[in-house]
Each structure stands twice: as structure tokens, then as C-alpha cells.
Amino acid sequence: MSNTEKRRLWRDVSVFDGLHTLPEPMAVITQGGRIVSLVAMHDFVEHQAEGCDEMGRGGVMTPGLVDCHTHLVFGGSRADEFEARLEGVGYEEIARRGGGILSTVSATRDASEQALFELAKPRLEALIADGVTTVEIKSGYGLTVKDELKMLRVARRLGEALPVRVETTLLGAHAVPPEFENDSDGYIDLVCQEMIPAAAKEGLADAVDVFCEKIAFSVAQCERVFEAAEAHGLPIKAHAEQLSNLGGTAMAARHGALSADHIEYLDAAGIAAMRQAGSVAVILPGAFHTLRETQQPPISALREAGVPMAVATDANPGSSPLFMPTLMLNLVCTLFRLTPQEALAGMTAHGASALGLKGEGRIEEGARADLCVWDIDTPAALAYAVQPGRLRQRLFQGELTHAI
Ligand SMILES: N=CN[C@@H](CCC(=O)O)C(=O)O
Ligand SMILES: [Zn+2]
């Protein structure tokens, strides 16, 4: 019997199902890459255990974590920028001086596809070791057709090489490249007329993203990118309202964006547009922490409006060189007062929705057996302590990929 076809049984586990903690200890059985039985322990009858491998008792079971916003593929390091920022130079100032994202662009252009793959693999392995079973990986450090496609190919290869589902996002509109320094509209032409069609033709992008900000692209330019994405049947998302309020989120929502990400400066009109469109708010505490931002995302207003909130690492070389999803659970609670349950939902069910995988990131009968069992007593403990080594078991598509 293959590893996946085995029937596996966990007893007495506390289950966080992607949205809530179930009220009593459960027995869970998986088979054939799916969860086939989820019953309260007091309803469990012993004959259900027949033919099952006993996987253990107790602990906390969650869906495999969904990291819905990362920039894992890049060349070079930005340690020098980290030091400059500690001395008081701001992120926007560094970008204006041609550093920041553009310094990673230069290192990424210089790196071969194989070199980028080898650099990104241990980063992704770190996420996997912390419970991730689905990850989004963006391009955005190539900024030519050739180099953006190179990044997306690396992302696809990572998903083939490692036990994790990779969703790719084309972020051609991340920064204005040096060769278009005084012609950002010309660069948007390239993104719309060449980059998006090429990525779509090769099936390399699952979505299209933009950076709508003063140091990047205007609302009107981002809207052109969305129109091109729509013409190629690709869903859209946006980095918006991170450093100022330009209204990019409301525009993205009008185009049916899967998500608006960062959104520290989001206003009431933006929240209303997101609610109407059903867009997910992706909260990125790693960038807020690293950049020592002061403007908090409007968590209470999002909560009151019923806009789902996802949480992600934003793992990247500049604004969030943090490759530990469970740290984000802690930061988003500590910095923004999400409850631990909201944080966990943000990195499971709502993270999946931000990738267009609605209904995934759940533990329920029939769901994919992408799940984690943790050596903790309550789901809240995952956000409470920042402590590597608590992942007892990880299943990807029903296959056991990690066990201690
Ligand atoms: N905000 C824009 N883009 C990335 C940062 C990339 C970088 O600094 O290299 C982000 O999500 O934080
Ligand atoms: Zn980002």
C-alpha cells in the first residue's frame, strides 16, 4: 500500500479547522490524499480504527499553513540596507537612491535559473519545516520579460522538487527598472503588451500583482496592468496602501481582486470596496516590524466589515527577511491585536482564499489531507510562543513528509 493510500488515524487531537477550534477532542482519519473521517472522540467507535496506522494521540491539528504572499526567489542580500535603515535612512529614501528593490533586481538578473533555484530552495524548506503546505511565490525582481519568466520558472520548479503546492504570481509592476527611469508608462506598456502575454502563454503565472505606491506605480498604471491580466484570464492582487493612501485597493477591488496586501493606510472607502468585492485583506506584520512602520492596518474596521484577513510572511530580502510563518502568527497578534484564532485562520482558510483557493485550508471530511500536528495543548499556543521544533507531523496530499 502506498504511503498515500494508507489509512491513518489520530486520536484525541484538538482540531483548528481553518476557521475555529472545534469544541471537543477529535479522531481524524485520512486516506487517499483526503480527510475521510472527522468525529468527536466520544462518538468514535473502535471498529473505525481497523486497518488504520495509529499516528498518535493528543496535540493540536491544523490545516497545513498557507503562506499567501512571499518573494522567495531572489539573488543577493540587503544586509547593507538593513544597516543603513538602522542608522535612520528610510525605506522610501533607499528606493529613491536606486537601492532597495532595484539592488535585488540587479543581483537577480545576474543569477542563472539554476543559481536562483538553489538559493530559494532552503528558504522554501524553512517554510515547509514550519508547517507550510501551500505557498505563493512572486516574481518582481527581474523586470524584463526574460528575467520575470526566469523567476516564475524557478517558482514552478520549486513546487515540483519539494512537497508543497506553489502558486505563482507575476509581479512585473514591482518597480520601475533603471532602463525606464524616466518612462514608467513605457515600462507598463512592456508589462501589459509583452510580459503578461508571455507568462500567460507559457502557463507560468497563476495571478498578476502590482505595487501601487508613490515609489512604484500610480493607480492608473496599475489599472492598465489589471486590464491586461483580465484579458488573459488571470486573477489579480495588489500591494497597496502600504506607505500612503493612493486608493489602489478600491480600484483593485473594483476589478475583483483576490486580495489587497499590506494596507496599513487603507481608508473606509477601501474597506467598503473590499467587502463588496469579497477581496481578502492580507496583513503582513513582518514588513511592518522590519520597516518600523507606525501606521497600523485598520484591523477593527476590517473585522467589523467582515472582510476576511489573511496573514503571510512577505518573505523577501528587503522589507521582511523573515522566513518563519509561525513568527508571523505571534507578530500579528502582538502588533495588531488579532486573536490567535484570527491569526491561524489568516494562515489557513483565509490565506487559501487570498490565492483563489476558496474552501481550502480547512480540516473537514473530503478536504485535502494537507495538515500539521503540533506538540502543543491549544491552537492559541502556536501564536503565543515563538518556538521551532513543535511540528510533530506534516502531511502533504496525504503523504507523511515530516515526523518527529
Ligand atoms: N512592498 C513592496 N514589495 C515587497 C518588498 C520587496 C523588497 O523590499 O524587496 C513587499 O511586499 O514588502
Ligand atoms: Zn510583497
Side-chain angles (χ1 to χ4, degrees):
M1 197 184 284
S2 85
N3 188 8
T4 328
E5 281 156 8
K6 277 183 183 162
R7 274 174 81 78
R8 297 194 159 92
L9 166 66
W10 289 261
R11 296 173 191 258
D12 254 323
V13 282
S14 170
V15 172
F16 179 81
D17 72 359
L19 293 172
H20 310 102
T21 299
L22 301 186
E24 46 190 324
M26 306 295 288
V28 183
I29 298 176
T30 64
Q31 187 175 25
R34 298 269 152 194
I35 296 168
V36 295
S37 173
L38 178 68
V39 286
M41 269 320 282
H42 73 256
D43 290 330
F44 186 72
V45 277
E46 207 44 45
H47 78 79
Q48 291 178 272
E50 278 167 23
C52 289
D53 281 6
E54 296 274 350
M55 300 302 289
R57 200 176 271 277
V60 167
M61 181 181 283
T62 66
L65 301 184
V66 178
D67 192 351
C68 69
H69 182 138
T70 84
H71 307 249
L72 285 183
V73 176
F74 60 86
S77 156
R78 305 248 290 273
D80 54 346
E81 175 186 323
F82 175 64
E83 290 185 274
R85 276 191 282 101
L86 292 178
E87 282 162 16
V89 189
Y91 184 69
E92 290 174 272
E93 179 54 28
I94 287 167
R96 278 190 208 99
R97 292 179 190 177
I101 293 172
L102 289 185
S103 87
T104 301
V105 168
S106 150
T108 303
R109 286 180 176 179
D110 287 347
S112 68
E113 185 178 315
Q114 184 59 24
L116 288 174
F117 176 84
E118 280 159 22
L119 287 167
K121 189 164 168 272
R123 297 175 193 137
L124 181 51
E125 284 167 339
L127 302 191
I128 290 171
D130 205 32
V132 167
T133 54
T134 296
V135 64
E136 184 252 22
I137 302 179
K138 299 177 195 296
S139 64
Y141 295 123
L143 311 187
T144 64
V145 176
K146 171 172 86 60
D147 291 300
E148 286 293 297
L149 297 192
K150 174 175 75 175
M151 291 188 69
L152 293 172
R153 266 189 220 106
V154 172
R156 282 274 189 255
R157 275 181 62 198
L158 288 165
E160 287 154 16
L162 295 172
V164 65
R165 173 163 45 170
V166 172
E167 294 287 308
T168 59
T169 299
L170 174 67
L171 177 55
H174 194 193
V176 181
E179 54 282 12
F180 283 89
E181 196 183 342
N182 295 311
D183 184 18
S184 60
D185 281 328
Y187 179 64
I188 291 294
D189 289 343
L190 178 79
V191 171
C192 295
Q193 292 162 19
E194 296 185 36
M195 213 176 263
I196 291 174
K201 186 165 171 228
E202 291 197 33
L204 285 172
D206 300 317
V208 170
D209 197 348
V210 296
F211 186 17
C212 187
E213 193 55 69
K214 285 183 212 143
I215 55 169
F217 298 99
S218 69
V219 175
Q221 289 172 325
C222 293
E223 186 155 30
R224 289 184 54 208
V225 174
F226 291 159
E227 284 161 0
E230 280 157 18
H232 287 85
L234 292 170
I236 55 149
K237 39 185 49 241
H239 290 67
E241 269 65 81
Q242 179 188 9
L243 308 169
S244 59
N245 179 7
L246 295 188
T249 301
M251 182 279 291
R254 281 200 302 279
H255 284 268
L258 291 174
S259 69
D261 304 35
H262 289 287
I263 58 167
E264 279 81 344
Y265 285 82
L266 185 64
D267 60 14
I271 293 172
M274 290 188 81
R275 180 181 49 192
Q276 187 157 0
S279 304
V280 176
V282 178
I283 311 296
L284 302 171
F288 179 92
H289 159 79
T290 301
L291 300 182
R292 301 164 67 100
E293 290 177 37
T294 50
Q295 174 78 27
Q296 296 243 339
I299 299 297
S300 311
L302 287 164
R303 191 185 279 133
E304 274 158 33
V307 174
M309 291 181 278
V311 180
T313 59
D314 190 16
N316 76 64
S319 67
S320 188
L322 306 169
F323 300 82
M324 190 178 183
T326 55
L327 169 64
M328 300 304 139
L329 298 176
N330 175 275
L331 286 180
V332 82
C333 295
T334 310
L335 296 172
F336 303 148
R337 293 178 187 263
L338 262 73
T339 67
Q341 304 267 338
E342 286 175 325
L344 264 171
M347 218 173 248
T348 53
H350 297 325
S353 297
L355 297 176
L357 305 171
K358 248 196 157 48
E360 300 207 19
R362 306 277 180 94
I363 290 184
E364 58 191 6
E365 286 182 5
R368 283 164 65 103
D370 288 356
L371 53 87
C372 296
V373 182
W374 307 87
D375 266 326
I376 49 179
D377 294 334
T378 65
L382 208 53
Y384 153 65
V386 180
Q387 187 180 340
R390 295 173 299 175
L391 182 60
R392 189 194 291 171
Q393 290 153 340
R394 173 186 181 275
L395 258 77
F396 176 65
Q397 294 179 335
E399 189 136 350
L400 188 64
T401 64
H402 170 102
I404 53 167

